[in-house]
Amino acid sequence: MKTEIAKIISNRPITGGIYDMWIKTTIAKEARCGQFIGVYPKDGSRLLQRPISICRISDDKESLRIVYRVAGKGTDEISSFKADEDITILGPCGNGFDPDVLKIGQTALLLGGGIGLPPMLQLGYELKNKCLDFKYVLGYRDSDTFMLDEYEECAGAGNVIIATDDGSKGVKGTVIDAINANGLKADVIYACGPMPMLRAVKQTSEQMGATAFISLEERMACGVGACLGCVCKTTKKDDHSKVNNARVCVEGPVFRAEDVQI
Amino acid sequence: MNTSVQIAGVEFKNPVMTASGTFGSGMEYVGLMDITRLGALITKGVALTPWEGNPTPRVAETSSGMLNAIGLQNPGIDVFCERDLKFLEGKDTKVIVNVCGKTEEEYVGVVERLADEKRVDMLEINVSCPNVKEGAIAFGQNSKALFSITEKVVKAAKQPVIMKLSPNVTDITEMAKASEAAGADAISLINTITGMKIDVERKRFVLANKTGGLSGPAIKPVAVRMVYQCAQAVNIPIIGMGGIATAEDALEFILAGATAVAVGMMNFHDPAASVKVIDGIEAYMKRHGIDDINSLRGVVS
Ligand SMILES: Cc1cc2nc3c(=O)[nH]c(=O)nc-3n(C[C@H](O)[C@H](O)[C@H](O)COP(=O)(O)OP(=O)(O)OC[C@H]3O[C@@H](n4cnc5c(N)ncnc54)[C@H](O)[C@@H]3O)c2cc1C
Ligand SMILES: Cc1cc2nc3c(=O)[nH]c(=O)nc-3n(C[C@H](O)[C@H](O)[C@H](O)COP(=O)(O)O)c2cc1C
Ligand code: FES
């Protein structure tokens, strides 16, 4: 992990309020899927890094891609950064998804909801490169199914199932509704999305007898494990805190669903 | 050129430290900066037993600062000694352990437990903790309670004692004087200023704890003023902190009367912030032809 003044390769909107940025950085060499980087705003009134998941690591391991939603002033400022501009980032942070949990002959479901979708792309490519069997189940708000073509390219169109809140595309409802409607089963589930979705994933995985790995969000200050701002409640006393608190920025953001109280 | 300073017989190679709770015990910053550059590292507050801390959200960004309500989560003194102090073994920097507790007995218990730990150069007593026996008013908000706890801790301690003062009082010099009178070797200030942030869209508090401590550049003028006032009021050394981001900020504190300074929240903005402050102070001394950092202390009065 390091802080680096990196170079923006491109930064463009892909749909309303969602931006896609490629950054040339040596952090890409150490990065794994499911990890995140901290992006520092330049405005001196905003001093904390914004945690953003790694969406793609380039094949030559020289650049990283992030896809982010403008959620407030910091991400709004970041969306105004231009190609060739410097950007200060911290990373790679956190533990990431472990693609090696999945074995040949087993099946995985990769669930993404809303702005939780982007980190599932790199994971898909890593499973694909190992010739492992997986399907995407993606939850969108409406027919604005951003990046859908990219998931289809990764997994093959037949292996991408979508759900929309308004029913305008795919199954009406949540990713869980889409799993049920299609009678999907899995040995391993990887998920990133809003908290209600992750709670449902935890429940569904228990019923299915699948091991679920979920990526959590929490407010962060340091991003390196020092401030203890970003904790989540764990079921067991964890080794670092000696209380039932794990740090999302170090022990997470990815947890086994059974290990956390959400 | 001399950048070293002394506090209660302990020599620091430079006056720059990292503030408690913003730097873990240094482990977290391995690879991000060189901790051996530091004059001292002040560890996260540690209590007799593990503390869970507050519910989340525990942190919130504010204009040029942040609020925190971590609630002094810590793994307890035993784990701290086995793990954190062990990590600091052999590292060329001074170690100051920040101590917290809910009763006088708890503070004294931690201090006694640390008495034979060779790696501990000094103790910093965080009196912003709620005093459960006195209606949860912080030890540091009442000069009598502060005098009493200082006296007990000083008596039990083998290492020199720094009392860390809370700014959430009417007259900080009263607290500085109580610490000095009770035998403290030094004082450090300021701890965070109690604040609040409200999410207007959701119409609720941003922090689960409702209130939190404000830190960062936003509080620096308050901190400089308080350090100056205390420097006029007591003769024991002062470690100044509150919003230090650059060497110029650190020098403000030194010119106001601080012997040493600590970098806190800005470690989150830039893990190398403290090292940049050290380099910047040296550059300033060269630029102004100053041979000894000690000659700058308190010259503005
Ligand atoms: C591990 C992790 C990975 C993430 N990955 C992505 C991603 O790939 N794409 C994406 O669009 N968003 C992601 N987020 C959410 C993103 O960090 C926030 O949307 C962003 O910090 C908002 O900043 P702001 O200044 O625009 O909003 P403001 O509300 O103005 O921010 C104020 C403060 O709150 C913090 N904050 C606000 N919302 C969140 C949140 N949801 N999670 C954590 N901190 C928050 C900010 O960092 C800042 O410190 C991720 C969050 C985490 C914890
Ligand atoms: C996240 C966080 C945790 C802190 N924890 C402690 C602590 O455990 N003990 C303590 O005495 N002060 C603690 N502080 C206060 C700092 O040490 C420092 O006094 C204060 O933040 C002002 O300095 P700054 O503006 O440079 O951050 C904490 C501050 C922050 C931001
Ligand atoms: S953000 Fe500081 S410990 Fe996780």
Side-chain angles (χ1 to χ4, degrees), chain A residues 30 44 52 85 88 114 155 162 182 244:
Chain A
E30 308 158 43
I52 306 286
E85 216 177 291
T88 305
I162 62 173
N182 289 279
N244 296 56

Side-chain angles (χ1 to χ4, degrees), chain A residues 49 219-231 247-250, chain B residues 59 268:
Chain A
Q49 46 92 16
R219 302 287 149 140
M220 296 184 174
C222 69
V224 304
C227 75
L228 307 181
C230 67
V231 299
R247 297 165 296 182
V248 172
C249 70
V250 175
Chain B
V59 291
F268 305 155

